[in-house]
Short mmCIF file of all heavy atoms in Angstrom, two decimals:
data_model
loop_
_atom_site.label_atom_id
_atom_site.label_comp_id
_atom_site.label_asym_id
_atom_site.label_seq_id
_atom_site.Cartn_x
_atom_site.Cartn_y
_atom_site.Cartn_z
N PRO A 76 -57.70 42.06 -136.88
CA PRO A 76 -58.71 41.42 -136.04
C PRO A 76 -60.02 41.26 -136.76
O PRO A 76 -60.77 40.28 -136.43
CB PRO A 76 -58.83 42.43 -134.83
CG PRO A 76 -57.50 43.12 -134.81
CD PRO A 76 -57.13 43.27 -136.26
N VAL A 77 -60.34 42.07 -137.72
CA VAL A 77 -61.58 41.94 -138.52
C VAL A 77 -61.38 40.74 -139.56
O VAL A 77 -62.31 39.94 -139.76
CB VAL A 77 -61.98 43.21 -139.17
CG1 VAL A 77 -63.23 43.05 -140.06
CG2 VAL A 77 -62.20 44.31 -138.16
N LEU A 78 -60.22 40.73 -140.12
CA LEU A 78 -59.93 39.71 -141.17
C LEU A 78 -59.80 38.31 -140.56
O LEU A 78 -60.22 37.30 -141.15
CB LEU A 78 -58.69 40.08 -141.94
CG LEU A 78 -58.68 41.35 -142.75
CD1 LEU A 78 -57.33 41.64 -143.36
CD2 LEU A 78 -59.74 41.22 -143.85
N PHE A 79 -59.21 38.21 -139.38
CA PHE A 79 -58.98 36.91 -138.73
C PHE A 79 -59.46 36.90 -137.29
O PHE A 79 -58.70 36.83 -136.33
CB PHE A 79 -57.44 36.62 -138.75
CG PHE A 79 -56.78 36.83 -140.03
CD1 PHE A 79 -55.77 37.82 -140.12
CD2 PHE A 79 -57.14 36.17 -141.14
CE1 PHE A 79 -55.11 38.12 -141.29
CE2 PHE A 79 -56.50 36.44 -142.37
CZ PHE A 79 -55.48 37.35 -142.50
N PRO A 80 -60.80 36.97 -137.10
CA PRO A 80 -61.33 37.09 -135.73
C PRO A 80 -60.99 35.90 -134.86
O PRO A 80 -60.86 36.00 -133.66
CB PRO A 80 -62.80 37.23 -135.95
CG PRO A 80 -63.10 36.73 -137.35
CD PRO A 80 -61.84 36.98 -138.13
N ASN A 81 -60.89 34.67 -135.50
CA ASN A 81 -60.68 33.49 -134.67
C ASN A 81 -59.28 33.44 -134.07
O ASN A 81 -59.05 32.64 -133.18
CB ASN A 81 -60.93 32.23 -135.51
CG ASN A 81 -62.39 32.01 -135.98
OD1 ASN A 81 -63.26 32.62 -135.27
ND2 ASN A 81 -62.66 31.33 -136.99
N GLN A 82 -58.37 34.30 -134.51
CA GLN A 82 -57.01 34.30 -133.97
C GLN A 82 -56.84 35.17 -132.78
O GLN A 82 -55.71 35.33 -132.28
CB GLN A 82 -56.03 34.63 -135.16
CG GLN A 82 -56.02 33.66 -136.26
CD GLN A 82 -55.57 32.29 -135.69
OE1 GLN A 82 -54.58 32.11 -135.00
NE2 GLN A 82 -56.38 31.22 -136.09
N TYR A 83 -57.88 35.85 -132.34
CA TYR A 83 -57.78 36.78 -131.24
C TYR A 83 -58.74 36.39 -130.15
O TYR A 83 -59.76 35.76 -130.39
CB TYR A 83 -58.12 38.18 -131.68
CG TYR A 83 -57.10 38.80 -132.67
CD1 TYR A 83 -57.29 38.53 -134.05
CD2 TYR A 83 -56.06 39.54 -132.29
CE1 TYR A 83 -56.33 39.00 -134.99
CE2 TYR A 83 -55.10 39.99 -133.14
CZ TYR A 83 -55.28 39.79 -134.53
OH TYR A 83 -54.38 40.32 -135.41
N ASN A 84 -58.37 36.74 -128.91
CA ASN A 84 -59.23 36.34 -127.81
C ASN A 84 -60.50 37.18 -127.83
O ASN A 84 -60.50 38.30 -128.33
CB ASN A 84 -58.57 36.42 -126.42
CG ASN A 84 -58.20 37.85 -126.08
OD1 ASN A 84 -59.03 38.66 -125.86
ND2 ASN A 84 -56.85 38.14 -126.03
N ALA A 85 -61.58 36.64 -127.28
CA ALA A 85 -62.90 37.26 -127.46
C ALA A 85 -63.00 38.67 -126.86
O ALA A 85 -63.58 39.59 -127.47
CB ALA A 85 -63.97 36.38 -126.77
N MET A 86 -62.40 38.90 -125.65
CA MET A 86 -62.47 40.21 -124.97
C MET A 86 -61.77 41.30 -125.84
O MET A 86 -62.23 42.34 -126.03
CB MET A 86 -61.85 40.16 -123.64
CG MET A 86 -61.94 41.49 -122.82
SD MET A 86 -61.30 41.28 -121.14
CE MET A 86 -62.50 40.10 -120.46
N PHE A 87 -60.57 41.02 -126.31
CA PHE A 87 -59.81 41.95 -127.16
C PHE A 87 -60.55 42.21 -128.47
O PHE A 87 -60.69 43.34 -128.84
CB PHE A 87 -58.40 41.39 -127.48
CG PHE A 87 -57.68 42.24 -128.52
CD1 PHE A 87 -57.07 43.45 -128.14
CD2 PHE A 87 -57.75 41.83 -129.85
CE1 PHE A 87 -56.47 44.14 -129.16
CE2 PHE A 87 -57.04 42.58 -130.80
CZ PHE A 87 -56.43 43.73 -130.44
N LEU A 88 -61.12 41.15 -129.05
CA LEU A 88 -61.83 41.31 -130.26
C LEU A 88 -63.10 42.18 -130.16
O LEU A 88 -63.45 43.05 -130.88
CB LEU A 88 -62.23 39.90 -130.87
CG LEU A 88 -62.91 39.98 -132.26
CD1 LEU A 88 -62.02 40.54 -133.28
CD2 LEU A 88 -63.32 38.50 -132.63
N SER A 89 -63.83 41.96 -128.96
CA SER A 89 -65.04 42.74 -128.72
C SER A 89 -64.69 44.23 -128.54
O SER A 89 -65.37 45.05 -129.04
CB SER A 89 -65.75 42.15 -127.41
OG SER A 89 -66.78 43.00 -127.06
N ASN A 90 -63.61 44.48 -127.77
CA ASN A 90 -63.23 45.93 -127.51
C ASN A 90 -62.77 46.52 -128.81
O ASN A 90 -63.04 47.75 -129.10
CB ASN A 90 -62.10 45.98 -126.52
CG ASN A 90 -62.60 45.58 -125.09
OD1 ASN A 90 -63.76 45.72 -124.77
ND2 ASN A 90 -61.65 45.03 -124.29
N TYR A 91 -62.00 45.75 -129.62
CA TYR A 91 -61.51 46.34 -130.87
C TYR A 91 -62.69 46.72 -131.85
O TYR A 91 -62.61 47.79 -132.48
CB TYR A 91 -60.60 45.31 -131.54
CG TYR A 91 -59.94 45.80 -132.84
CD1 TYR A 91 -58.78 46.51 -132.74
CD2 TYR A 91 -60.48 45.57 -134.03
CE1 TYR A 91 -58.10 47.01 -133.85
CE2 TYR A 91 -59.85 46.09 -135.21
CZ TYR A 91 -58.67 46.76 -135.08
OH TYR A 91 -58.03 47.30 -136.25
N LEU A 92 -63.69 45.86 -131.91
CA LEU A 92 -64.87 46.10 -132.81
C LEU A 92 -65.72 47.27 -132.36
O LEU A 92 -66.38 47.87 -133.18
CB LEU A 92 -65.66 44.79 -133.00
CG LEU A 92 -64.98 43.64 -133.65
CD1 LEU A 92 -65.84 42.39 -133.63
CD2 LEU A 92 -64.54 43.98 -135.09
N LYS A 93 -65.64 47.53 -131.12
CA LYS A 93 -66.47 48.71 -130.61
C LYS A 93 -65.78 50.02 -130.88
O LYS A 93 -66.49 51.06 -130.89
CB LYS A 93 -66.66 48.55 -129.09
CG LYS A 93 -67.54 47.34 -128.65
CD LYS A 93 -67.61 47.27 -127.13
CE LYS A 93 -68.45 46.10 -126.73
NZ LYS A 93 -68.50 45.91 -125.24
N ILE A 94 -64.46 50.02 -131.04
CA ILE A 94 -63.82 51.29 -131.17
C ILE A 94 -63.87 51.76 -132.60
O ILE A 94 -63.77 51.02 -133.56
CB ILE A 94 -62.30 51.10 -130.72
CG1 ILE A 94 -62.21 50.76 -129.30
CG2 ILE A 94 -61.49 52.42 -130.99
CD1 ILE A 94 -60.84 50.49 -128.79
N VAL A 95 -64.02 53.08 -132.68
CA VAL A 95 -64.05 53.73 -134.01
C VAL A 95 -62.84 54.76 -134.00
O VAL A 95 -62.70 55.53 -133.04
CB VAL A 95 -65.35 54.51 -134.29
CG1 VAL A 95 -65.36 55.19 -135.62
CG2 VAL A 95 -66.50 53.49 -134.26
N GLY A 96 -62.12 54.75 -135.02
CA GLY A 96 -60.97 55.68 -135.16
C GLY A 96 -59.63 55.04 -135.07
O GLY A 96 -59.44 54.16 -134.23
N PHE A 97 -58.79 55.37 -136.00
CA PHE A 97 -57.51 54.77 -136.12
C PHE A 97 -56.60 54.93 -134.81
O PHE A 97 -56.02 53.93 -134.37
CB PHE A 97 -56.70 55.35 -137.26
CG PHE A 97 -55.39 54.74 -137.56
CD1 PHE A 97 -55.29 53.68 -138.46
CD2 PHE A 97 -54.21 55.11 -137.02
CE1 PHE A 97 -54.13 53.05 -138.80
CE2 PHE A 97 -53.01 54.53 -137.26
CZ PHE A 97 -52.98 53.45 -138.21
N LYS A 98 -56.62 56.13 -134.21
CA LYS A 98 -55.80 56.38 -133.10
C LYS A 98 -56.21 55.53 -131.94
O LYS A 98 -55.41 54.99 -131.18
CB LYS A 98 -55.93 57.86 -132.77
CG LYS A 98 -55.00 58.32 -131.62
CD LYS A 98 -55.10 59.81 -131.39
CE LYS A 98 -54.20 60.26 -130.22
NZ LYS A 98 -54.29 61.71 -130.03
N SER A 99 -57.57 55.35 -131.66
CA SER A 99 -58.07 54.65 -130.52
C SER A 99 -57.70 53.13 -130.66
O SER A 99 -57.32 52.50 -129.70
CB SER A 99 -59.57 54.79 -130.40
OG SER A 99 -59.88 56.22 -130.21
N LYS A 100 -57.83 52.67 -131.91
CA LYS A 100 -57.52 51.28 -132.14
C LYS A 100 -56.04 51.02 -131.93
O LYS A 100 -55.64 49.99 -131.41
CB LYS A 100 -57.90 50.87 -133.58
CG LYS A 100 -59.40 50.76 -133.82
CD LYS A 100 -59.74 50.35 -135.29
CE LYS A 100 -61.19 50.13 -135.50
NZ LYS A 100 -61.51 49.65 -136.82
N PHE A 101 -55.21 52.01 -132.39
CA PHE A 101 -53.75 51.84 -132.27
C PHE A 101 -53.38 51.70 -130.78
O PHE A 101 -52.56 50.87 -130.37
CB PHE A 101 -53.03 52.96 -132.85
CG PHE A 101 -51.54 52.89 -132.70
CD1 PHE A 101 -50.79 52.09 -133.53
CD2 PHE A 101 -50.88 53.69 -131.74
CE1 PHE A 101 -49.39 52.03 -133.37
CE2 PHE A 101 -49.53 53.62 -131.54
CZ PHE A 101 -48.77 52.79 -132.38
N PHE A 102 -53.96 52.58 -129.92
CA PHE A 102 -53.64 52.53 -128.48
C PHE A 102 -54.14 51.25 -127.87
O PHE A 102 -53.49 50.71 -126.95
CB PHE A 102 -54.33 53.68 -127.72
CG PHE A 102 -53.50 54.95 -127.85
CD1 PHE A 102 -53.91 56.06 -128.65
CD2 PHE A 102 -52.22 55.09 -127.26
CE1 PHE A 102 -53.16 57.23 -128.81
CE2 PHE A 102 -51.47 56.25 -127.41
CZ PHE A 102 -51.89 57.29 -128.17
N LEU A 103 -55.34 50.73 -128.28
CA LEU A 103 -55.79 49.47 -127.79
C LEU A 103 -54.85 48.28 -128.06
O LEU A 103 -54.51 47.55 -127.19
CB LEU A 103 -57.20 49.17 -128.36
CG LEU A 103 -57.81 47.80 -128.01
CD1 LEU A 103 -58.06 47.74 -126.45
CD2 LEU A 103 -59.02 47.50 -128.72
#
Side-chain angles (χ1 to χ4, degrees):
V77 177
L78 294 175
F79 313 117
N81 291 340
Q82 294 301 310
Y83 294 86
N84 66 66
M86 184 177 294
F87 169 79
L88 183 62
S89 175
N90 292 335
Y91 185 85
L92 295 175
K93 291 177 182 179
I94 294 175
V95 178
F97 186 90
K98 183 177 181 180
S99 299
K100 288 183 177 181
F101 178 80
F102 279 112
L103 175 66

